[in-house]
Structures are given as C-alpha cells and as structure tokens.
Amino acid sequence: MALIEWRESYKVGIRSIDYEHGNLIWVINDLLGKLSKDHTTDDIVQALGEVHALIEAHFALEEKVMRDIRYSSYPAHKKDHDRLLDDLREIMEGVEGGGDFMKTLGETVNAWFTVHFSTFDKEFHSLAHSQR
Ligand SMILES: [Fe+2]
Ligand SMILES: [Fe+2]
C-alpha cells in the first residue's frame, strides 16, 4: 500500500493543480517505496531530504505566484507551508532516534494534505485561476 493515498477530497477543482498535487504524492510514495528492506538511517534521511526538497520547491512556486498577484492571504498560507516543512524536519531528526517514521510521516502528511489542499490551496488556486 502506498504511504500516501490520493483522495478525492484533495482536489482543488483545477486540473493542472490537481495533477501537480497528485504527482507530488506519487513521487513521495516512489521515493520512500524505493528504500530497500535493509535500509540504513542514512538512506532514510536522504530519502526524506529529497521529499522535503520536493515539497519545498512546490511551495516556493505557489508562494511566488501569491506574491506576484499580491495575494492578501499570503502570510497565513505561507505559515501553513512552513508548518509542514518544520514537521518534516522534526520527523527527519526523529529517524536518528529510531521509531516508526513511516507511520508518523504518513499520518502527518495525509492529515496536512487533507486540510491544506481543500482549504488554503483551493481558495488560492481558484482566485489565481480566475485572474488569468
Ligand atoms: Fe499546492
Ligand atoms: Fe499551498
């Protein structure tokens, strides 16, 4: 089973964005799925580092568009992005101390996507799309 499942509730209603979010989930699953059975802590930290970089790049792009259109909810939206990146960093640090990072990561990211995509992203992308 994939670590993160795509859910209908993740849809923001704009095809290109839904595709991007779906792809993000696919790449995260792929990166973590490639960890071999006898992975080392370093392997996990490296895979999580790639996940972090990927998500960060997606956020940076969104935030650039927000600044470009002088989006009024930018601070709150960015704060929510930063919160997930902080959580991911904490999970990376936790790997060193053992524990079931996959479970924590799956729960954290699923919960975050469920809320963020259907609220912050839906609102922002609908507005940005209507201004084109
Ligand atoms: Fe997004
Ligand atoms: Fe966002």
Side-chain angles (χ1 to χ4, degrees):
M1 202 185 90
L3 180 74
I4 303 160
E5 300 277 349
W6 172 262
R7 296 179 190 170
E8 279 300 299
S9 61
Y10 289 174
K11 282 191 175 172
V12 302
I14 296 162
R15 244 200 164 129
S16 56
I17 308 297
D18 289 336
Y19 175 80
E20 235 178 82
H21 287 161
N23 191 52
L24 195 64
I25 291 175
W26 188 87
V27 180
I28 294 172
N29 283 328
D30 189 54
L31 269 171
L32 296 168
K34 275 189 193 139
L35 282 176
S36 63
K37 284 256 181 304
D38 49 355
H39 56 244
T40 63
T41 304
D42 281 354
D43 296 334
I44 301 173
V45 171
Q46 191 185 333
L48 286 177
E50 287 180 48
V51 167
H52 186 281
L54 199 78
I55 294 179
E56 196 172 36
H58 175 80
F59 290 170
L61 212 73
E62 252 182 34
E63 289 164 15
K64 185 193 177 301
V65 179
M66 285 185 229
R67 289 192 301 271
D68 287 351
I69 67 169
R70 296 180 191 281
Y71 183 52
S72 61
S73 304
Y74 171 77
H77 195 138
K78 185 179 179 353
K79 200 170 165 196
D80 204 53
H81 284 171
D82 291 346
R83 190 169 61 89
L84 179 72
L85 293 174
D86 282 348
D87 286 352
L88 285 180
R89 243 170 266 129
E90 226 169 82
I91 292 171
M92 284 163 81
E93 282 160 22
V95 169
E96 317 272 343
D100 193 353
F101 84 96
M102 281 283 200
K103 189 167 174 279
T104 315
L105 180 72
E107 283 170 1
T108 304
V109 176
N110 271 312
W112 190 90
F113 280 173
T114 300
V115 176
H116 188 86
F117 287 167
S118 61
T119 56
F120 286 100
D121 275 7
K122 193 172 198 148
E123 189 193 306
F124 161 64
H125 292 299
S126 305
L127 182 88
H129 203 72
S130 71
Q131 290 192 356
R132 272 193 215 155

